[in-house]
Amino acid sequence: MSKKHGYPGIFITLEGGDGTGKSTQARLLAEFIEEKRGEAPLLTREPGGAPGADEIRELILTGEPERWDVVGETLLFYASRRNHLRLTVWPALERGEWVISDRFADSTMAYQGYGNQLGPDKVQMIHDVSVGQFEPDLTIILDIDPAKGIARTQGRTNNEDRFEKMDLSVHERMRDGFYDIAKKNSHRCVIIDVDRDIDTIQNDLRQIVMERLFS
Ligand code: TYD
């Protein structure tokens, strides 16, 4: 039983700026956990992770940056998150499963709260209404110089690039936001430097998971 949320399962979140390689790391970490536990974790992502949440994902991530203002966007992220929690994450944790989410609430705090300057207090208010006290057992924040991260996303061919069109200064504020979140939530957050090769980064992740969740 997790100390933090009371469900028998374990909830791990991967966070970080664009182009930090979260999805690859999440997949490799899922393989490791499956080897260790003999049961595959549920690998999910935000925005998305449930049918309604996936529809909201499409609304948020496509189109021009001005399509939503920061309040509207934050509400959409939280509507999507609530749907993801209710229909996917909480039921899996209740069944005792391990869940890995590629992004969760710290992304909204960093991107909308710090990057797009809604401010941490307002994001926290919306968070409290939508999510309450629930929080991950472990959050791994993948960190890189935003200019390098953005450069890594340039080859992508899909149209979900609304955020990548934003100014570098926004991405720099988001990075500071993640540092702040990690400082305030040191009981669950670890920052990893991802300006290194995939295997070295993954080894760090596995070590953290072993120390924090398997010992
Ligand atoms: P995604 O394709 O998942 O990007 P990545 O591979 O970088 O995770 O798109 C998610 C985008 O939405 C990404 O730019 C971060 C942004 N985002 C927010 O601004 N707030 C949020 O709460 C979440 C979950 C994502």
Side-chain angles (χ1 to χ4, degrees):
M1 181 80 68
S2 164
K3 294 189 290 295
K4 298 184 188 105
H5 49 61
Y7 291 107
I10 293 283
F11 187 43
I12 302 171
T13 57
L14 259 60
E15 297 279 8
D18 294 63
T20 47
K22 283 184 311 308
S23 312
T24 305
Q25 293 297 339
R27 189 171 40 75
L28 294 171
L29 187 61
E31 286 174 9
F32 175 70
I33 290 171
E34 181 172 5
E35 273 167 34
K36 286 279 160 202
R37 298 194 68 234
E39 188 185 313
L42 176 70
L43 186 53
T44 183
R45 69 162 179 188
E46 289 202 355
D54 282 331
E55 288 184 52
I56 300 173
R57 176 188 177 91
E58 172 81 17
L59 282 176
I60 307 173
L61 295 186
T62 60
E64 290 306 309
E66 301 74 30
R67 184 177 189 191
W68 307 105
D69 73 356
V70 66
V71 175
E73 181 175 280
T74 303
L75 293 169
L76 285 169
F77 276 119
Y78 268 100
S80 149
R81 178 159 305 129
R82 176 88 195 163
N83 185 257
H84 180 219
L85 285 171
R86 274 185 50 237
L87 300 179
T88 303
V89 177
W90 287 337
L93 294 177
E94 185 67 60
R95 292 190 298 268
E97 291 178 31
W98 285 41
V99 178
I100 302 176
S101 189
D102 179 351
R103 294 194 184 281
F104 185 60
D106 297 325
S107 282
T108 319
M109 186 55 90
Y111 280 65
Q112 283 65 49
Y114 289 78
N116 293 333
Q117 294 175 311
L118 180 58
D121 294 348
K122 286 188 180 157
V123 173
Q124 190 64 48
M125 284 165 69
I126 299 172
H127 179 89
D128 291 346
V129 172
S130 320
V131 174
Q133 297 296 309
F134 175 79
E135 66 173 7
D137 297 278
L138 173 64
T139 298
I140 301 174
I141 298 171
L142 306 188
D143 180 57
I144 194 165
D145 174 351
K148 287 190 185 170
I150 298 295
R152 288 186 185 178
T153 67
Q154 296 309 310
R156 289 187 190 171
T157 50
N158 66 24
N159 64 344
E160 291 183 339
D161 62 352
R162 202 175 138 252
F163 283 82
E164 288 143 24
K165 285 181 191 160
M166 291 177 176
D167 282 353
L168 190 58
S169 61
V170 177
H171 289 272
E172 277 161 358
R173 285 201 299 276
M174 287 170 344
R175 186 189 206 190
D176 291 340
F178 278 124
Y179 288 158
D180 241 32
I181 291 165
K183 204 167 11 162
K184 289 182 184 147
N185 296 277
S186 57
H187 60 286
R188 67 172 170 89
C189 291
V190 182
I191 297 180
I192 297 270
D193 170 16
V194 294
D195 195 6
R196 298 177 298 159
D197 67 85
I198 290 178
D199 293 344
T200 310
I201 299 163
Q202 180 61 206
N203 281 340
D204 278 7
L205 260 68
R206 291 178 178 192
Q207 205 176 328
I208 291 163
V209 166
M210 283 306 291
E211 281 165 11
R212 299 226 173 188
L213 301 175
F214 280 101
S215 56

